[in-house]
Amino acid sequence: METVGAEKTDADARAGGSSGAGEPSAGDRGAGPVIAGAGPVARPAERATVRLRDGEPEEPPRYAPEWLRLREGADAAARARELLDPLRIRLADPPGRSGGLVVHDLGCGTGSMGRWLAPRLDGAQHWILHDRDPYLLHFAAAASPRSAADGSPVTVETRRGDVARLTPDALTGASLVTASALLDVLTREEIEALADACAGAGCPALLTLSVAGRVELAPQDPLDAEIAEAFNAHQRRAGLLGPDAVTVACEAFAERGATVRVHASPWRLGAEEAALTEQWLRGWVGAAVEQRPELGDRAAAYLSTRLAACAAGALRVTVHHTDLLALPRPRGAAA
C-alpha cells in the first residue's frame, strides 16, 4: 500500500471496455497485435493494464498506451452526469459515518475516473485506487486531482490487488465504489461478488462506460451489422459478459436490495476525434475478424474504406455505452 499526495502530472488515461489481444487488424497485417476496440499495440514490451484474475497465463498488454491517452476525453464527455445528483444526495449525509468521503476506484488504471469525478463532488475525499499494475497505480496517484468541487482536499492511496476478488471487508468504511469500463470484462460470478461486497458494505456503486453492444456509423455500410455481431461475440468469449454485463449487474444489485439507475453514455465521434476513431475502428474490425476469420477479405476492404472516410473527416461513429448507479440499503437498515 502506498499513500501519495495528489500531484498533477501528465499521465496516460485508463483504457477500458473492450479487452483481449487479437491478430493484426484486417487490412493492416504488419502493424502488430490488435487490442479489441483499441487498435494495434505499437510496443509489445509495454506493461499490461489490470489483469482481473489470479492463476492465469501471462497475457499481452490489454491496451496500447496511445489508446489510454486517446479515450480519456471521449470518456469524460460520455459519462452520464444525470446520475451525479442522486449520488450527491446519498453521499451528503452517509448514515453512521463522519469525516470525508472514502472512494474505492476498482481497476483504476491511470486514474481517469478520479480525475473526472473528484472535482464534481463536494467535501474532503480519500480515494483508494485498486489495480494489478504498480506502474499504472503510480501514475494514477500522481495525476489525481488535488481538490474537490468546493476546494476540500483530495488524497489518494494505492492498493495492488485482484478486483475480481473484492470482499465486503475490503470496503470497510467505504462511501462509494467506482469503476470505468470494467463490468464488461467480468463474469457473472465476479459481478455478483462485486454486488455482494457493495451490499455488505452498504455503499453505492457508480459503474460507468460498459459496452452496450450497439454501434452506429454514418454513412452506413452493408457490413456494419455483421462486424458488430462478430465483435459482440468476441466480447462474450470465455464466459465474459461483454454487452450483457449491465443487465446482469442491474439484476445482481436489485436482488440485494439496491435501487438501480442506468443512463446512456455514448461516445459520439466526429472529425475532431479522428485519431480515436481510427484506433477504435482497427480494434473493432480486428476483434470481429479474430472471432470470425471468414470475414477477413471483406473486412479488410471495409476497414480500408472506413479509414479513408475517417481521414477525410467524413465518418461519424456512435459507440453506445451504459452507466449504472446502484444505491444499496445502508448497513443496518431494515430489509
Side-chain angles (χ1 to χ4, degrees), residues 11-56:
D12 293 338
R14 160 76 162 104
S18 309
S19 67
E23 296 299 322
S25 297
D28 192 13
R29 301 293 179 186
V34 166
I35 301 306
V41 178
R43 294 181 289 278
E46 289 286 347
R47 294 175 181 268
T49 57
V50 60
R51 288 180 60 229
L52 299 176
R53 300 158 195 91
D54 287 325
E56 292 184 345

Side-chain angles (χ1 to χ4, degrees), residues 12-19 35-38 49 62-79 110 112 115 179-182 184-185 208-211 231 235 265-267 269 273 275-277 279-280 319-323:
D12 293 338
R14 160 76 162 104
S18 309
S19 67
I35 301 306
T49 57
R62 287 182 179 271
Y63 305 105
E66 292 79 7
W67 179 251
L68 304 180
R69 291 188 291 269
L70 281 172
R71 72 170 288 166
E72 184 164 2
D75 287 349
R79 288 191 181 97
T110 55
S112 65
R115 287 189 289 277
S180 186
L182 178 66
D184 43 71
V185 295
T208 70
L209 296 170
S210 297
V211 295
F231 178 82
Q235 288 276 283
S265 53
W267 281 355
L269 308 179
E273 295 80 24
L276 174 59
T277 304
Q279 288 290 81
W280 173 82
V319 183
H320 291 275
H321 304 97
T322 305
D323 289 4

Side-chain angles (χ1 to χ4, degrees), residues 188-248:
R188 178 179 295 271
E189 292 74 20
E190 289 160 352
I191 285 181
E192 289 178 348
L194 173 59
D196 277 337
C198 292
C203 68
L206 179 62
L207 308 169
T208 70
L209 296 170
S210 297
V211 295
R214 294 184 295 117
V215 174
E216 299 166 10
L217 298 95
Q220 296 180 347
D221 184 282
L223 201 56
D224 290 347
E226 201 168 352
I227 295 291
E229 181 181 359
F231 178 82
N232 289 342
H234 186 273
Q235 288 276 283
R236 295 183 175 107
R237 70 204 182 284
L240 304 183
L241 288 170
D244 306 318
V246 169
T247 298
V248 171

